[in-house]
Each structure stands twice: as structure tokens, then as C-alpha cells.
Amino acid sequence: MAATGVPVSTAQIYRGFARQEARGRSPAYEALAEGVAGDRRILRFLDSLPPEKRQPNLLFAAARYLLGVPADLAALRALVRPSSRQLAEVMLARRTQTNEPARCALLLPALAQLPQPLALIEVGASAGLTLLVDRYSYDYAGHQIAGLDPQAPTLRCTPEGPVPLPERPPEIAWRAGLDLNPLSVASDDDVRWLTCLVWPGEGDRQQRLAEAIAAARRDPPALYRGDLIDDLPALAAQAPAGATLVVYHSAVLAYVAPERRRVFAGLVRGLGATWLSNEGPKVLADVPVEAFTGDPFLLVRDGRTPLAIADGHGAWLRWIG
Ligand SMILES: C[S@@+](CC[C@H](N)C(=O)[O-])C[C@H]1O[C@@H](n2cnc3c(N)ncnc32)[C@H](O)[C@@H]1O
């Protein structure tokens, strides 16, 4: 639905993706999404799927999974032949679970301000790459922080405003991830899917992902299958006493219905945890959206206090908190 309550067509979704998301990031996917928006056969195929399975990210990653390379329009048209169910099968079986390690550079300053050590729970953790905050190294335009795993990637992030940059990574006493469908870095098939979710033309993302996966394989974080509301209390009960419990999420709440987001907010507050949210500006009910319209991500503490505006993939962080 659009803000006016008028249903949004699949063609409009693809046109919006091309112009608002892919433009400036991935010329190949901008062109592909525009192509899909004007292609009756592909739109018919998409409209035969459940609404949540029609997303551009899912279609393009599934096509890449089958083709081995990013699709162009002709290749995509060939995949949606009525005789072939392969594409639909991948889209129905898989979800968009893009795991972007560079988002750790957005979380790090807020985590470092808390009493240490920390007990981390990430809800919507995907493969757990955004749980390894202390393993990566960081370069904030020359301010360098050495991580605990010297082979893990260095995450580069441009700080703007008075970002409280620490000298060292936070001390993590315990960490766990919760996801409806945790991906395993030990599974070649899951790794292939994670790789297919990265858009073509996005610089070093693919390389960073491969290095982060290698770091996670050396010492995988604990990941649990479960829902961020139903299964969070039992996981939080496992956190050690004496560490600051932090519940956080990044690029997750857009997949959760608005009424469930409100239930989640009440639940996290009831746990007495510090809550960090790194999401698009519209998903938290208690944050004044108007002030942040057009900003990609907003880092919010405890559901109410905006700390920073952030690039969706961790490239820059503008501190306001
Ligand atoms: C786009 S990925 C983001 C992964 C990671 N947080 C990051 O920033 O790189 C969203 C993840 O949220 C998970 N997810 C969506 N709804 C969920 C729910 N209700 N409970 C738990 N996980 C959920 C999905 O399975 C997916 O792995």
C-alpha cells in the first residue's frame, strides 16, 4: 500500500526500487528493475507469487542463484517461462537475508558508550556477521580501531558530526543471534545465497562479505531459530549476569508487521535491556519520522532517542545524539 492507502502495483514497486534504491548504487539492477516494471510476462509471474515474495531483491538474488551471474532482462525472461518452476521454487524457499558486516561500524560507537562488558542479542541476525562487532577492525576516516581477529576485514565508515569514536572495540562477554531462518556460514549453499544477495556494482561489498564469512567460520557465533517476539525472552534469560544486555537489530523491522513491532517494543523495554535499532526511519512508532524523511537508516536507542543517521550499508554515520 502507498501512504494514501491506494494499493501499489508490482510494476510500481520495481520502478520505485530502480529509482530510489538501486540508482547510484547498482546501474545493472536499476536497469533490470525498470525493465521488469515494463515487462508483462515477468509481472504476471511475480503476481502469481504471494505478495511478500514479489520483492526485487528476492527476484534478482534468486535469478543469480540459478544463473551463477547477475541476470539481465533477457535472462530473467527466459527464467520465467511457464514451463519452468525453478525460479518460483527458489523464491518460495528463500528470503532476503542480506547480512552486511559493515553495519557493525554504525553500531560500534553506541555499543562502546555502554558499561562494559556487553551481552549481545541480535534479532534478525541472518548468518551472524553483524554479531562479530569486536572481531572486525575499523577505519573511520583515519581513526583506526584494531579488532580481535587480525584476518577479519577492516570496515571503513565516514563519520560526520561528533561521533563518539572509541579507541578499542567493545568487550563482548556473550553473544547470540535469533532469526526465523538462521543461515549457516558452514553451509556452502547458504554462503552462495548470501553472495547472490549482494548487488552488482557495489564496490568491495562482495570481498568484505567473503572475509567476514571466513572470520565467522573461524569462530561462529551462536545462532538460534526463532521469532524476535516469541523466542526473545528465553534467549535473554541465558545472558550472563554482570554484563550489559543489549538487544539490537538492523534492517529487520521492515519485515515485521506494524502491530508486531509495537509488541516487540514493549517486550524489549520489559527485559530491561539497552535497545539499539538501526532501521529505516519509518519503522519505529515513537520516533518523529518527519524529521528524517528521505534518510536511509536511523540509529535509535531504546526506541525513542535518535542517535545518528546512517547509510544503509555502513558507509557513513552522521551523529545527532
Ligand atoms: C535483511 S536481513 C538483516 C540481517 C542483519 N541484521 C544485517 O543487518 O546484516 C533481515 C533478517 O531478519 C530476519 N527476520 C525477519 N523477521 C523476523 C522475525 N520475526 N524474527 C526473527 N528474525 C526475523 C530474516 O530472516 C533476515 O535474516
Side-chain angles (χ1 to χ4, degrees):
M1 287 278 182
T4 53
V6 179
V8 177
S9 72
T10 307
Q12 285 171 310
I13 291 171
Y14 277 74
R15 226 168 263 124
F17 174 89
R19 294 169 195 185
Q20 284 144 34
E21 297 190 49
R23 186 167 292 171
R25 281 195 184 271
S26 177
Y29 277 2
E30 181 186 348
L32 187 58
E34 287 283 3
V36 170
D39 189 296
R40 282 224 203 119
R41 186 205 288 180
I42 302 177
L43 291 174
R44 231 183 356 257
F45 162 78
L46 288 166
D47 287 338
S48 72
L49 301 174
E52 72 279 9
K53 293 287 179 182
R54 296 175 194 162
Q55 312 156 38
N57 270 335
L58 183 63
L59 174 69
F60 297 167
R64 185 173 186 169
Y65 182 83
L66 292 171
L67 297 166
V69 291
D72 60 16
L73 193 62
L76 200 52
R77 293 193 96 233
L79 282 176
V80 301
R81 277 193 314 267
S83 58
S84 170
R85 289 288 304 158
Q86 268 188 321
L87 185 61
E89 279 162 15
V90 176
M91 291 177 73
L92 291 171
R94 290 283 184 181
R95 309 162 172 267
T96 49
Q97 293 193 262
T98 311
N99 202 183
E100 177 46 74
R103 291 182 182 136
C104 287
L106 309 174
L107 297 161
L108 182 92
L111 291 172
Q113 287 189 312
L114 301 172
Q116 311 284 309
L118 307 177
L120 300 182
I121 295 183
E122 183 183 12
V123 297
S126 183
L129 304 181
T130 25
L131 270 167
L132 309 181
V133 198
D134 52 342
R135 308 255 186 91
Y136 305 124
S137 293
Y138 298 86
D139 184 342
Y140 291 94
H143 180 104
Q144 300 194 345
I145 302 165
L148 301 184
D149 179 349
Q151 289 165 271
T154 296
L155 307 178
R156 289 171 218 290
C157 176
T158 304
E160 297 173 26
V163 183
L165 294 174
E167 295 302 321
R168 59 189 66 83
E171 193 187 330
I172 314 295
W174 179 90
R175 77 191 89 209
L178 189 61
D179 200 287
L180 284 178
N181 181 47
L183 296 179
S184 168
V185 291
S187 154
D188 289 341
D189 196 40
D190 282 357
V191 166
R192 180 170 155 212
W193 179 244
L194 282 170
T195 305
C196 289
L197 285 161
V198 175
W199 303 354
E202 284 201 288
D204 58 1
R205 273 189 85 194
Q206 207 62 267
Q207 173 71 17
R208 187 166 66 223
L209 177 66
E211 290 172 3
I213 288 169
R217 279 184 163 167
R218 282 190 284 281
D219 187 0
L223 294 180
Y224 298 91
R225 184 177 298 275
D227 176 74
L228 55 73
I229 295 171
D230 303 337
D231 301 291
L232 179 58
L235 187 55
Q238 292 181 34
T244 303
L245 179 61
V246 185
V247 174
Y248 67 98
H249 48 85
S250 170
V252 174
L253 289 193
Y255 299 96
V256 176
E259 57 279 14
R260 295 281 286 171
R261 291 179 208 153
R262 276 190 283 277
V263 177
F264 174 70
L267 174 65
V268 185
R269 290 195 176 108
L271 290 174
T274 296
W275 172 20
L276 292 177
S277 164
N278 183 41
E279 302 280 346
K282 288 188 193 150
V283 301
L284 288 185
D286 296 331
V287 174
V289 174
E290 310 73 46
F292 303 103
T293 305
D295 288 326
F297 270 26
L298 201 54
L299 183 66
V300 177
R301 183 170 162 166
D302 297 329
R304 292 201 175 92
T305 311
L307 297 179
I309 298 164
D311 173 59
H313 292 147
W316 53 264
L317 180 66
R318 189 178 312 138
W319 202 259
I320 49 175

